[in-house]
Amino acid sequence: MAGTDSSPVPARRPSPSPAEAVVVIAPLSLTVALGLWGIRRQNTMWGDESVTDQLAHRDLSQIWLTARHIDLVHALYYAVMHEIFGLFGGGLLTLRLPSVLAMSLAASGVGLLALRLAGPRAGLLAGLVFALLPQVQKYAQEGRSYAMVCALVTWATYALVVSIPQRSRWRWAVYGSTMLLACLLHEFAVLALVAHGVTLAVSRAPRPALRAWSVAVAGVVAGLLPLAICSAGQSEQVSWISGPVRPDYFLVVAVLGVVCALAPLRVRGHVRLSALAVPILVLPGLLLLIASLVKPLFVDRYMVYSNVGIALLLGACMDHFLRRQRSSRYAWIAAVAVLAALVPTSLSLRTPQSRSNDVTAIGAAVRKEGRPGDGLLYLSGQQRVLTVANPEDTRLLTDLALAQDPVSSNTLAGVELPAQEITARMLEFDRIVVVRAVGVHSLTNPQEEAKTSTLRRHFREYGTTHVNGARVTLYVALHRWR
């Protein structure tokens, strides 16, 4: 008939249901609230965050030149933070807010995963549980890449689950590109690919899905390979990781996760929730533990994304428990008990003592021990990063071993003088303030040997201030004691 349009009308994507909106918004809002609570940690900063702050304030060209020598694995993150600093300025809030937002997106992704695999209530509970997990609260407030990696792995996992029953190439392209970005931010995100592969195998995914996943994995590996090869030459920067390995948190949540996986959880869609959650919870940490038998590599923050697994399992188990209970009284009692148990941990995570060191306290101790004109010495020179948070703390002291500062040398800790020159400069001073890191493997090279031997033979310890992560000691020349 004339005047009629017989062309097919494109199908509209159904709008999100109220349940989906709640599953997204509630975990996101809770994570933001917890992330903003005590985000300044009494205006303190720990060493790795001070490195982020230092490098993100450099030009992109300087970041690249520095990454060629050290910290190549974090170069992309530093570049991202450089742009954020350029837009919003520096400071503690700008340093940590991207992690808060990233972890909030991860929480909403966890909720949607559980919703798709076990239903709306499981989705809501899983997202809320994720926001409350101690590791999630901790790394949501750190100026490092781990929250961003967690968010990317979470949404890549969601893309994987959505793509299994589909043959759409663009969905698999989204999965592959998201995983590649996560791996470029931190190489150990690649271990999530292994977990995903096990999930597909256990779920007996159709062959087209397996082929599409294999192509995506090949793309991720190809994109990551240049970074992995180049960063392998910088393996000395993780020499601080030493045994015995203490995977306490990982072992606790892994055991708890496996126990939860034994519950008869609801099955929806093409993937069983436990088949997705257990591999991503257990395999990345387990593989790193095995690798640590050869070279110590295990650090729990490298697998923050494993918390996705425990949140999915706990959310689904809680949903299963509620469905079996005729009365909600016990559920409320259990919820209150869990929250009460988490309160002390949540409070402690927002104190300076919750991190391995406190560079603001270290810098303040240097200023207290020293006086204008004193010498300043770091054992080892790499620990110079412990006092860069506030340059005023060391401005009136003379760095006795420094030949070239970190910025001009495109390094993290600067370039030090030869051993003989360090000794000669030390002997010119009557008072030297020495900074030692606690719990860090000491380097053995001519410069460090010259520092320690000169202190031992020509100086005497006058007083020591113990702070979180370091000891600041004032040494006085022996001839001043006579």
Side-chain angles (χ1 to χ4, degrees):
M1 182 181 296
T4 62
D5 186 3
S6 60
S7 59
V9 178
R12 293 184 178 180
R13 185 183 184 276
S15 58
S17 67
E20 289 177 328
V22 171
V23 165
V24 170
I25 295 173
L28 186 148
S29 301
L30 178 61
T31 310
V32 169
L34 291 173
L36 294 178
W37 170 35
I39 190 173
R40 289 184 174 276
R41 289 203 303 276
Q42 301 174 28
N43 292 319
T44 61
M45 186 186 299
W46 81 288
D48 281 12
E49 286 185 305
S50 71
V51 172
T52 299
D53 185 68
Q54 177 192 159
L55 285 180
H57 277 99
R58 300 184 188 181
D59 294 335
L60 290 176
S61 59
Q62 292 177 308
I63 293 175
W64 167 243
L65 291 173
T66 302
R68 292 172 61 183
H69 301 99
I70 192 170
D71 249 7
L72 180 62
V73 294
H74 298 298
L76 177 59
Y77 174 69
Y78 296 144
V80 171
M81 292 304 298
H82 169 83
E83 296 301 327
I84 292 174
F85 279 9
L87 290 172
F88 303 105
L92 280 177
L93 286 178
T94 310
L95 179 67
R96 292 173 180 157
L97 273 177
S99 293
V100 174
L101 298 178
M103 204 64 90
S104 302
L105 292 175
S108 63
V110 170
L112 285 178
L113 271 170
L115 180 149
R116 189 175 185 90
L117 300 177
R121 185 167 56 188
L124 177 61
L125 292 170
L128 296 177
V129 165
F130 179 82
L132 292 170
L133 291 174
Q135 261 205 341
V136 171
Q137 292 190 59
K138 179 176 182 179
Y139 293 105
Q141 293 188 329
E142 290 210 350
R144 298 297 283 174
S145 65
Y146 308 112
M148 292 184 184
V149 173
C150 184
L152 289 166
V153 171
T154 302
W155 282 98
T157 305
Y158 183 77
L160 174 76
V161 171
V162 171
S163 300
I164 290 176
Q166 305 289 337
R167 295 191 177 184
S168 176
R169 293 183 178 179
W170 74 266
R171 293 178 184 272
W172 286 104
V174 169
Y175 167 75
S177 58
T178 306
M179 276 304 307
L180 176 58
L181 184 56
C183 293
L184 292 176
L185 281 172
H186 198 280
E187 291 179 14
F188 286 152
V190 75
L191 298 175
L193 289 174
V194 181
H196 292 162
V198 172
T199 295
L200 291 174
V202 172
S203 303
R204 298 181 181 179
R207 287 187 178 181
L210 290 174
R211 285 196 298 268
W213 176 79
S214 300
V215 171
V217 169
V220 173
V221 172
L224 181 63
L225 196 58
L227 175 64
I229 293 174
C230 294
S231 63
Q234 299 179 358
S235 60
E236 182 62 27
Q237 74 181 78
V238 293
S239 61
W240 59 269
I241 305 175
S242 58
V245 175
R246 297 182 58 189
D248 303 345
Y249 181 84
F250 165 73
L251 291 178
V252 170
V253 297
V255 171
L256 180 60
V258 172
V259 171
C260 290
L262 299 177
L265 305 178
R266 181 185 298 183
V267 179
R268 290 180 54 173
H270 293 72
V271 179
R272 185 180 179 87
L273 184 139
S274 57
L276 176 72
V278 173
I280 202 167
L281 169 64
V282 175
L283 284 180
L286 182 62
L287 291 173
L288 268 191
L289 282 174
I290 294 173
S292 294
L293 297 176
V294 179
K295 177 180 176 59
L297 291 172
F298 185 92
V299 180
D300 60 359
R301 61 179 176 266
Y302 293 166
M303 288 86 56
V304 172
Y305 58 84
S306 291
N307 286 278
V308 172
I310 189 64
L312 289 173
L313 290 167
L314 287 176
C317 282
M318 292 167 66
D319 174 58
H320 174 73
F321 176 77
L322 289 172
R323 281 189 287 112
R324 292 177 61 89
Q325 293 295 324
R326 295 182 179 178
S327 172
S328 62
R329 180 189 307 171
Y330 299 111
W332 281 108
I333 293 174
V336 171
V338 170
L339 290 174
L342 287 173
V343 167
T345 301
S346 298
L347 290 172
S348 65
L349 287 174
R350 287 154 179 84
T351 64
Q353 293 74 27
S354 64
R355 271 53 177 185
S356 57
N357 56 50
D358 178 3
V359 296
T360 53
I362 295 170
V366 170
R367 176 183 286 192
K368 178 182 177 182
E369 290 288 349
R371 63 190 186 192
D374 285 352
L376 177 61
L377 204 64
Y378 297 90
L379 299 177
S380 67
Q382 290 183 347
Q383 308 311 321
R384 195 168 278 107
V385 298
L386 296 177
T387 58
V388 299
N390 183 8
E392 289 298 313
D393 291 331
T394 59
R395 185 174 61 85
L396 299 179
L397 306 181
T398 302
D399 194 330
L400 300 179
L402 187 64
Q404 193 175 6
D405 67 86
V407 176
S408 63
S409 62
N410 294 310
T411 61
L412 296 182
V415 177
E416 296 205 325
L417 295 165
Q420 292 181 345
E421 293 186 39
I422 292 175
T423 299
R425 293 196 70 186
M426 290 175 65
L427 295 176
E428 295 174 1
F429 285 76
D430 291 336
R431 292 163 48 96
I432 298 177
V433 178
V434 176
V435 179
R436 288 186 179 89
V438 174
V440 177
H441 178 66
S442 299
L443 296 178
T444 55
N445 58 46
Q447 285 98 331
E448 299 307 321
E449 292 175 0
K451 295 173 190 176
T452 54
S453 63
T454 304
L455 287 173
R456 184 173 58 253
R457 289 184 295 173
H458 300 283
F459 291 83
R460 180 175 175 181
E461 182 178 330
Y462 183 80
T464 298
T465 300
H466 296 269
V467 292
N468 184 20
R471 288 182 296 149
V472 180
T473 305
L474 175 63
Y475 282 85
V476 178
L478 287 178
H479 68 80
R480 294 286 301 272
W481 291 85
R482 299 190 181 114

